[in-house]
Amino acid sequence: MNRYVLGIESTAHTFSASVVSSHGEILSNAKSVYVAPKGSGIHPLEASRSHASSAASLLGVAIEESGIGVGKISAVSYSMGPGLGPCLRVGAVVARTLCSLLEKPLVPVNHAVGHIELGCLVTRSKDPVVLLVSGGHTMVISHSGGRWRVLGETLDLTLGQLLDQFGRHAGLASPCGGEIERAALRSTRYLGLPYVVKGNDVSFSGMLTAAETMLDAGKRFDDIAFSIQETAFAMVVEVTERALAFTGKKEVMVVGGVAANRRLSRMMSAMARRHSARLRGVPLEYSGDCGAQIAWTGYLAHSKGVEVPVNEATVSQSWRLDSVDTPWRS
Amino acid sequence: MGRVLIYRGAEADVSKGEWRGLEAAFKVRKPFAYRHPALDRMVRRQRTGREAEMLKSAKSAGVSAPYVYDVDTGASTLVMEFIEGRRLRELALSSTQGLFKMFEEMGEEVARLHGSGIVHGDLTTANVVRRAGRNVYLDFGLSMHTSKVEDHAVDLRLVKETLRGAHSAISGLAFGRLLAGYSSVAGESRAKRVASQLRNIERRGRYARVV
């Protein structure tokens, strides 16, 4: 019998609710994205206010679009972490209220695991090496021994933060990735930037300083944007390649907000070809933060008995991806 | 004697051949089609030169590594002694006898490198070959001179990540033995500082702080 799970995502700038079925159909995926004022970053409290005010109507949209009655929902899942405290708490409150009202079980989901599992669902990927690149994460991940394991990551800024902070330095509003991608297309002039790979880890803080200094010295924004993309993306593709060679796996998947960048996915696909691996492209709608990642992973976890009593359903701002057991994968 | 490809790595191909009558490994860093040509040349040249230099430094620090026979940074090619043996990665996957002792020795050797101001930069179990009862270290392309606690901690963190990622069943015990070995050479107080820095890095890396 088909079962339905409602998932709620609210780790950072996106508040989203989605209904999925146990067959893996995504019946709805309603989103509202908080946009920070120009030149400034995401303010956790402001974002959480925006989430709180859009929560009720979004839930309505998610349930209506799914075409199933609210009574058919068999569990509610929410992103317990990692993320920004005030934002996470909005999602947790909404989820607790809803499952008390419906008298249905509550399932906590790790946001990063959610990105990966939804990516696997929509690309039919079985056992990929995953690059998770967003404002909150820059990690190379693969599954072994019952968990998703981190094989490499950033030592300081995430890739999303690098793009956003450089963009804001130039007066753009976060998220700046799209603007930087368009600027990069207008240039072919490579300016040397620090390329810092340490083992399987990367570091971007030196690149950010160098790029900001270039901009202040009057170099063209487009040229710097091009050079940041070329350098930073080559770094993350290189560490993904190392993980692929090391694990011997044959699928590569890129998820997270920065996965939307076409230059990054072209570089990744050239790399994958060299290793006769398949690049699993996650469609834009499902690569960034969304409720479907929480709903689907909530279904997977709940099918193996994972749930949490309402009075213990807190949030965990720095919940490690590699501390989550994944019984649905064994 | 022609060259035979023996290893296709992420960044370089290694083939076995002959160099002036000696059995040798030829490591060629290949151009990356996905990398901008200017950036690509810079990275390959830098790493080839650095690797040659660091292989020599490692030997001076008392750690086994291949002899360098020849370097051509322009062609990003390194010719070195061929090391016959099995990778620690294979040995760990087949849970060989005496495995934990190998990790303890690895800890001692890494401490010796660090003590001489060298970080290997790529301490995966695929880069350690067991020959005649000793660990031989390969692939110094990402290594550098540094005595900072932070850099030494990053070096050890890769070992830990590799163990967790590829050898999760033995990772706790293996890393514990490695730290014990490290501590026996680096001294307890230095080892404690490096271990505590390692924990700091893990904490800050898992989820970005909001800046």
Side-chain angles (χ1 to χ4, degrees):
Chain A
M1 195 189 92
N2 219 345
R3 293 168 60 240
Y4 303 95
V5 175
L6 172 78
I8 293 163
E9 156 63 21
S10 70
T11 52
H13 46 61
T14 302
F15 186 89
S16 173
S18 158
V19 178
V20 302
S21 79
S22 48
H23 294 325
E25 303 150 284
I26 299 161
L27 303 175
S28 63
N29 194 28
K31 292 180 207 179
S32 140
V33 180
Y34 162 79
V35 180
K38 274 203 171 189
S40 74
I42 174 171
H43 190 298
L45 210 59
E46 293 299 323
S48 74
R49 282 191 191 124
S50 149
H51 294 347
S53 66
S54 53
S57 62
L58 263 171
L59 272 181
V61 173
I63 291 166
E64 197 183 313
E65 274 182 5
S66 73
I68 60 154
V70 75
K72 285 225 173 128
I73 287 166
S74 54
V76 176
S77 60
Y78 74 108
S79 48
M80 187 186 231
L84 308 171
C87 300
L88 286 169
R89 281 189 279 276
V90 174
V93 166
V94 172
R96 286 197 298 258
T97 312
L98 205 61
C99 75
S100 308
L101 209 69
L102 300 174
E103 296 179 347
K104 296 293 178 192
L106 184 57
V107 186
V109 170
N110 178 289
H111 173 83
V113 172
H115 270 303
I116 300 169
E117 294 295 355
L118 180 65
C120 288
L121 171 73
V122 299
T123 64
R124 296 170 196 278
S125 195
K126 296 268 180 305
D127 187 20
V129 166
V130 182
L131 175 67
L132 170 55
V133 274
S134 63
H137 293 89
T138 295
M139 286 180 169
V140 180
I141 301 154
S142 83
H143 197 271
S144 93
R147 287 180 185 183
W148 288 102
R149 312 271 173 180
V150 179
L151 291 177
E153 66 191 298
T154 180
L155 296 168
D156 39 57
L157 301 173
T158 64
L159 189 48
Q161 285 176 327
L162 169 72
L163 298 173
D164 280 350
Q165 289 190 34
F166 173 71
R168 292 200 319 253
H169 190 76
L172 305 175
S174 290
C176 312
E179 199 65 45
I180 288 175
E181 181 173 8
R182 283 187 289 279
L185 285 173
R186 294 191 293 262
S187 168
T188 50
R189 184 149 177 253
Y190 181 73
L191 311 167
L193 286 169
Y195 185 96
V196 185
V197 172
K198 297 182 179 183
N200 284 347
D201 296 327
V202 293
S203 156
F204 294 122
S205 56
M207 192 187 309
L208 177 63
T209 309
E212 288 179 347
T213 308
M214 282 177 178
L215 191 69
D216 296 342
K219 299 257 195 246
R220 284 180 60 216
F221 177 76
D222 295 359
D223 295 339
I224 308 171
F226 173 73
S227 307
I228 288 178
Q229 284 201 167
E230 289 304 311
T231 314
F233 293 173
M235 286 163 59
V236 294
V237 174
E238 183 184 353
V239 292
T240 310
E241 177 163 22
R242 295 162 63 78
L244 198 62
F246 187 80
T247 58
K249 296 197 173 176
K250 287 294 165 202
E251 297 170 306
V252 189
M253 195 167 83
V254 188
V255 289
V258 190
N261 189 294
R262 269 151 297 200
R263 176 63 182 139
L264 176 60
S265 62
R266 267 207 309 282
M267 285 165 84
M268 199 57 91
S269 109
M271 182 280 281
R273 262 201 306 280
R274 250 163 68 136
H275 292 266
S276 320
R278 301 185 108 156
L279 178 65
R280 304 295 195 177
V282 182
L284 201 56
E285 189 188 354
Y286 302 120
S287 61
D289 294 356
C290 67
Q293 73 190 77
I294 306 303
W296 175 242
T297 312
Y299 162 72
L300 292 173
H302 193 240
S303 72
K304 294 292 171 184
V306 177
E307 53 179 79
V308 64
V310 171
N311 57 2
E312 289 169 28
T314 51
V315 301
S316 180
Q317 293 187 58
S318 43
W319 188 14
R320 290 163 50 137
L321 152 98
D322 51 6
S323 67
V324 182
D325 286 324
T326 56
W328 59 87
R329 281 202 162 255
S330 46
Chain B
M1 186 177 131
R3 292 192 208 165
V4 185
L5 183 71
I6 50 171
Y7 181 68
R8 169 156 293 185
E11 68 159 349
D13 285 342
V14 181
S15 47
K16 188 178 171 182
E18 206 180 273
W19 186 86
R20 298 191 184 169
L22 295 167
E23 196 177 55
F26 293 76
K27 177 170 180 175
V28 183
R29 288 191 159 75
K30 306 162 289 186
F32 282 10
Y34 62 76
R35 213 151 51 188
H36 190 279
L39 173 64
D40 188 59
R41 269 194 305 278
M42 192 267 290
V43 173
R44 284 188 293 133
R45 180 173 305 186
Q46 209 175 53
R47 287 189 185 165
T48 303
R50 186 161 48 195
E51 177 160 22
E53 187 192 308
M54 299 308 273
L55 281 166
K56 289 180 217 161
S57 307
K59 293 182 90 69
S60 312
V63 169
S64 293
Y67 282 102
V68 176
Y69 296 156
D70 197 14
V71 193
D72 182 348
T73 52
S76 52
T77 301
L78 194 62
V79 189
M80 59 196 147
E81 180 190 5
F82 179 77
I83 307 293
E84 189 83 60
R86 292 182 72 192
R87 289 169 190 270
L88 190 52
R89 175 182 155 81
E90 297 164 43
L91 298 172
L93 289 173
S94 59
S95 45
T96 313
Q97 248 199 337
L99 186 64
F100 294 108
K101 182 87 181 90
M102 296 176 201
F103 280 105
E104 187 172 331
E105 287 168 18
M106 185 173 169
E108 295 166 11
E109 287 144 1
V110 173
R112 240 176 270 147
L113 288 175
H114 289 181
S116 309
I118 301 167
V119 299
H120 180 279
D122 196 7
L123 283 172
T124 68
T125 47
N127 283 333
V128 183
V129 171
R130 197 74 185 169
R131 180 182 65 179
R134 281 194 77 175
N135 295 329
V136 183
Y137 291 79
L138 309 178
D139 203 346
F140 280 73
L142 296 176
S143 71
M144 57 180 182
H145 286 291
T146 165
S147 294
K148 281 195 232 162
V149 176
E150 162 89 10
D151 293 326
H152 293 184
V154 170
D155 215 20
L156 287 184
R157 204 174 74 90
L158 183 64
V159 187
K160 195 173 173 185
E161 274 183 0
T162 306
L163 285 170
R164 278 194 187 154
H167 313 292
S168 48
I170 58 153
S171 69
L173 200 51
F175 195 70
R177 288 289 289 271
L178 187 135
L179 279 184
Y182 189 90
S183 178
S184 75
V185 170
E188 210 172 301
S189 82
R190 176 74 185 183
K192 273 193 179 147
R193 281 180 64 201
V194 174
S196 110
Q197 187 62 18
L198 193 154
R199 282 191 296 276
N200 287 340
I201 297 167
E202 283 176 334
R203 268 200 295 274
R204 73 174 181 238
R206 299 294 162 174
Y207 189 79
R209 288 165 302 171
V210 183
V211 200

